Amino acid sequence: DADVTQTPRNRITKTGKRIMLECSQTKGHDRMYWYRQDPGLGLRLIYYSFDVKDINKGEISDGYSVSRQAQAKFSLSLESAIPNQTALYFCATSDLHDPGGSGYTFGSGTRLTVV
Amino acid sequence: GENVEQHPSTLSVQEGDSAVIKCTYSDSASNYFPWYKQELGKRPQLIIDIRSNVGEKKDQRIAVTLNKTAKHFSLHITETQPEDSAVYFCAASKGGSNYKLTFGKGTLLTVNP
């Protein structure tokens, strides 16, 4: 089935380390997003991309960077991880045309712990 | 930018009762309002949505209402069942269903048998 895959599923890293979270999709969607989820804070947008050459900051982009390597791949990097970046990270995709109105498809999430 | 407020943060009901979750948004240009359900340890899943040209939409036991003048929208779940227990998120977008979404902080709904 067409889906959105995130790797790794879980990761523990040390403060100051560089880490990359990866997202790949087989849905053929143009648009991809990175959100982080914290208890009581909901889902907050980090970065989004509407096509390979388009990258946009979301509401909480500081400390993060992204790369859209191909239509199907969108990676999130933490250049120097800090403990308050401990969170559940979701990648999501949406179709430019979205004829069925199905909205976002979320990945399964990456639980990141920075110690 | 858009700001979405969601209330209550937690809601506990008895099985068979109704549950209502309310959201307000700040950007009058927003035109698409989805609701997502996230079960424990799972990814959020779209359960219902409404667009700004509609005041109400219903799908079996769930319904959403929109008041554009007041800039608020609500999720109504009737005849709640234990499997309705989850975190529910409202969201808003001004570009339709395929545009960036701004989410509320979520409501943890617990349905007690």
Side-chain angles (χ1 to χ4, degrees), chain B residues 21-33:
Chain B
I21 303 170
K22 299 182 179 182
C23 289
T24 60
Y25 62 98
S26 61
D27 191 341
S28 56
S30 290
N31 58 10
Y32 173 70
F33 308 93

Side-chain angles (χ1 to χ4, degrees), chain A residues 1 16 19 37 44 48 61-62 67 77 84-85 87 90 93 95:
Chain A
D1 288 339
I19 183 169
Q37 183 177 11
R44 292 180 293 165
Y48 62 102
S61 60
D62 287 349
S67 173
S77 293
N84 77 358
Q85 291 178 313
F90 282 105
T93 71
D95 186 347

Side-chain angles (χ1 to χ4, degrees), chain B residues 43-98:
Chain B
R43 70 187 83 182
Q45 301 268 15
L46 178 68
I47 56 171
I48 195 167
D49 57 17
I50 191 166
R51 297 169 195 271
S52 57
N53 58 348
V54 176
E56 183 174 0
K57 183 177 178 180
K58 190 173 181 179
D59 182 4
Q60 298 183 351
R61 295 187 297 107
I62 60 173
V64 57
T65 59
L66 172 65
N67 183 325
K68 287 174 55 180
T69 302
K71 290 191 282 189
H72 68 69
F73 56 111
S74 300
L75 177 71
H76 304 253
I77 306 174
T78 58
E79 301 173 18
T80 54
Q81 301 168 4
E83 52 265 39
D84 294 328
S85 296
V87 177
Y88 291 80
F89 293 100
C90 63
S93 163
K94 59 182 179 182
S97 61
N98 58 359

Side-chain angles (χ1 to χ4, degrees), chain A residues 26-78:
Chain A
T26 57
K27 298 191 72 70
H29 287 173
D30 319 87
R31 301 181 169 189
M32 300 186 74
Y33 312 82
W34 276 104
Y35 284 85
R36 72 176 270 178
Q37 183 177 11
D38 299 276
L41 295 180
L43 293 149
R44 292 180 293 165
L45 183 62
I46 306 172
Y47 271 95
Y48 62 102
S49 170
F50 284 172
D51 66 41
V52 175
K53 296 182 180 180
D54 177 77
I55 301 289
N56 303 281
K57 292 182 177 181
E59 57 183 302
I60 55 162
S61 60
D62 287 349
Y64 302 94
S65 62
V66 291
S67 173
R68 184 84 184 263
Q69 301 96 322
Q71 188 202 34
K73 295 183 182 293
F74 192 36
S75 300
L76 176 71
S77 293
L78 288 68

